Amino acid sequence: MKVYVKVSDTDKPYLSGSSTEALDGYVGIEGLTNDQAIATLSRPNKCYMDDNGVLIVPNQIPLSQSEKDAENVKIQLTDMNKKLVDMQTTITTLTTDKSNLQTALNNANTDNANLKAQIQSMQKQSLAYMTQLAQINAELAKYKQSQSSTQGGDK
């Protein structure tokens, strides 16, 4: 768990505050045990930062079991709240993605319908051309037949 601490301006190196959220002027500390996190959050003025920036949490900070339990619950609630925010962000992203996909699908369906209409139109044109071609071929055959009978009759 990450705990954020602020070194006191008037009582260095002791802390003046601690939080589970990143606040202005606070430094994030990771790698604390649960007991150290509880002690830091409940009694920050008993903890201090050494010259190397390491948080020192005395082992002798007296906390009642109810204080430990309350801090444990507070830590769990904070973690759950962060998870809920992450889940809401994911849900929002998925909703946006779904909307974008639906728009793309609608556009693709419209394009498909337009292409289908174009194909049907081209098929009708092709049929009309084939009909005209058949008529031209029939007329050509008649013309050739009439030409051959005319030429054959002159002999």
Side-chain angles (χ1 to χ4, degrees), residues 81-141:
N81 188 41
K82 288 178 185 175
K83 288 177 183 176
L84 284 172
V85 168
D86 289 345
M87 286 173 54
Q88 186 59 48
T89 301
T90 300
I91 288 169
T92 301
T93 301
L94 290 173
T95 301
T96 301
D97 290 349
K98 178 184 174 190
S99 175
N100 291 341
L101 287 172
Q102 186 63 50
T103 300
L105 178 62
N106 291 344
N107 290 341
N109 285 337
T110 300
D111 290 346
N112 188 35
N114 290 339
L115 288 172
K116 191 174 182 180
Q118 286 177 353
I119 289 170
Q120 288 173 344
S121 173
M122 292 173 103
Q123 287 173 334
K124 286 179 184 177
Q125 285 178 341
S126 176
L127 182 60
Y129 290 149
M130 289 174 66
T131 304
Q132 286 177 349
L133 185 60
Q135 287 174 348
I136 290 171
N137 281 337
E139 288 178 18
L140 183 61

Side-chain angles (χ1 to χ4, degrees), residues 33-44:
T33 66
N34 205 32
D35 285 345
Q36 288 173 324
I38 291 170
T40 302
L41 290 168
S42 61
R43 302 277 199 289

Side-chain angles (χ1 to χ4, degrees), residues 36-83:
Q36 288 173 324
I38 291 170
T40 302
L41 290 168
S42 61
R43 302 277 199 289
N45 60 336
K46 301 290 183 189
C47 306
Y48 61 94
M49 299 284 279
D50 72 6
D51 293 336
N52 297 319
V54 175
L55 179 65
I56 306 299
V57 181
N59 292 332
Q60 307 301 321
I61 297 178
L63 292 177
S64 68
Q65 188 59 43
S66 62
E67 288 175 314
K68 285 183 182 181
D69 292 344
E71 287 300 322
N72 262 330
V73 169
K74 185 177 176 182
I75 289 170
Q76 290 172 358
L77 286 174
T78 299
D79 287 344
M80 286 177 22
N81 188 41
K82 288 178 185 175
K83 288 177 183 176

